[in-house]
Amino acid sequence: MASYEKNLDIEQSEKVTSDNSSERANNAVIDEFTPEEQKAIVRKIDYRLVPTLGFMYCVSLMDRTNTGIAVVAGMGVDLVLIGDRYSIMVLVFFITYVALQPPATVVLRKLGPRLFLPLIVILWGITMIGFGFVKTWIALVPLRLILGIFEAGFFPGCAYLLSCWYPRYQLQKRNAVFYLIGSMASAFSGILAYGMSQLAGYGTGMPQWMGAHFGPTALDPTIPRSFGSGLAGWRWIFILQGVLTVIVGLIGWYFIVDFPEHAAKKGIGKKFLTEREVAFVVARIEKDRHDAIPQEFAIGKYLKHALDLKVWGFAVLFMLTTTVTYAIAYFLPIILKDGMGFSTAASQCLIAPPYVLAAIVMFAFAYYGDKWHIRSPFILANGALALIGLPLMGFATNVGARYFGVFLATTAANANVPCVLTWQANNIRGQWKRALCSATLVGAGGIGGIIGSTVFRKQDNPGYVPGIIACTLAAGLIVVVTLLLDLKFHRANKRAAAGGKPIEGLEGFRYTL
């Protein structure tokens, strides 16, 4: 670690001084446009880039977390998801998802987002359709592994792409809107899935076992086994959401944009920026952090960035955050139904309101975070909210109080995602270092998904005490890790201001607290 600090590679270690000639050159390019024209260019980027990535992420979240909704809709009965089978099926997704994050980010940089991102969306949509035709629970395992392969490069690719387009203190609002669109999928996917499941019984020429299963129950073990007609409702959820994903991927292929330096190149899809507008975007990034254009890729330099301690600090912070987000995403429908006693329809629909509140808080934190140039205070606030909400959700005796706890916990966990993403992006300089950090961050988030998908178990119903305790510990550690990073960054800023070692190899660069 010490050798890394002393021997930073060229991209990170060069003391790239903001000399007068460089500053004048960037300002000259920027000043070619009036303030109104500059705002128009930024709006053009906002309207094209953020919604496209957001809606693609929307189907990503729906596809990876719809298993809990499918269980409530009958998959648990039809595929006999007893014991730890559900947790195993959820867990295996993260094996390939985590392992392939770093190479996927390199592939994104080499192939470009216009090809890479829509392609993997279409491929995992096709995989999702396959979920609707499984006969036994074990068939879900290879499908979840394949889903992890295709989804591995998406979220870190989106986070990295957004960071390439915006200066540091214009980024969190964009990250928030991107994630907000996706989290709205989590909010309304239950309602959408409930509507899709009402197609139960439709479909002709299907094997008998693809219908809903009826048979012996705990109350009456003598009932003979039988099957409903057509396709079971939960199968329609997977099939229709898979078709929707493929459609979104095809639309994204037309609208998605490349990295800024390639945005003016002619290609298949909707025309975006002119050469002059691209020069303006690149000049803004150069003025902000001097890393708009990446150096040639070298595997040794790429991996060497992993020796920077703060890369892992952000990764741990994101892992703790996603432990809670995934636990809620996968198990909230089950907790509402089996733990709080709501009906199937109510448990699917009551998912939505907490995510709506999360979206409001998320954007408010993003707005003021960009305005005040701060990140960590909002992460600390989210940690505190989770420390209140999770115990309420798990240990309150009144159902209303428990559901209020769901609001607080869901808000805290989801609002924290763009906060951590942006804090990391604000404090990491260099294209390849940010690429590795994005991959490491989201890979750690996948590990959080593994933890979140296993801490809640159906046999812990109705209180789900082990899961609540694990998520509460994660929330407490979010506060601790954030304070430790704040201390590290404060000391580094103080040292640099006193004439010490430049931060991230750039004179004048300061860590965002």
Side-chain angles (χ1 to χ4, degrees), residues 2 19 48 95 121 138 155-156 210 237 243 269 289 334 377 449 459:
D19 55 54
R48 177 80 175 269
I95 297 173
V121 171
I138 201 67
F155 192 81
M210 294 188 74
I237 294 174
V243 171
R289 57 177 185 263
I334 298 170
Q459 53 264 45

Side-chain angles (χ1 to χ4, degrees), residues 160-304:
Y160 174 52
L161 181 60
L162 284 167
S163 73
C164 291
W165 275 94
Y166 294 100
R168 289 177 295 157
Y169 300 118
Q170 294 182 16
L171 182 59
Q172 188 168 345
K173 288 194 292 290
R174 279 76 185 184
N175 276 339
V177 173
F178 158 68
Y179 188 76
L180 185 151
I181 295 172
S183 64
M184 284 298 94
S186 298
F188 296 102
S189 60
I191 298 172
L192 180 64
Y194 178 73
M196 292 175 175
S197 69
Q198 298 308 297
L199 291 172
Y202 287 87
T204 58
M206 300 294 175
Q208 191 179 38
W209 53 265
M210 294 188 74
H213 293 207
F214 304 96
T217 65
L219 294 176
D220 191 351
T222 63
I223 297 176
R225 192 169 187 79
S226 61
F227 302 94
S229 59
L231 292 175
W234 65 267
R235 295 183 185 276
W236 281 112
I237 294 174
F238 286 121
I239 293 168
L240 293 180
Q241 287 190 355
V243 171
L244 177 62
T245 299
V246 172
I247 293 171
V248 170
L250 290 171
I251 295 172
W253 174 68
Y254 182 77
F255 281 101
I256 202 164
V257 303
D258 211 325
F259 293 110
E261 66 272 21
H262 303 306
K265 290 183 179 179
K266 187 176 181 180
I268 298 172
K270 187 174 176 60
K271 184 173 172 57
F272 188 32
L273 299 179
T274 67
E275 291 283 358
R276 288 181 66 246
E277 291 170 333
V278 166
F280 163 78
V281 173
V282 171
R284 288 205 318 157
I285 302 301
E286 280 295 301
K287 183 177 178 179
D288 181 55
R289 57 177 185 263
H290 289 274
D291 69 351
I293 308 297
Q295 291 192 324
E296 278 296 314
F297 176 76
I299 185 67
K301 291 181 179 180
Y302 179 68
L303 295 177
K304 193 175 181 181

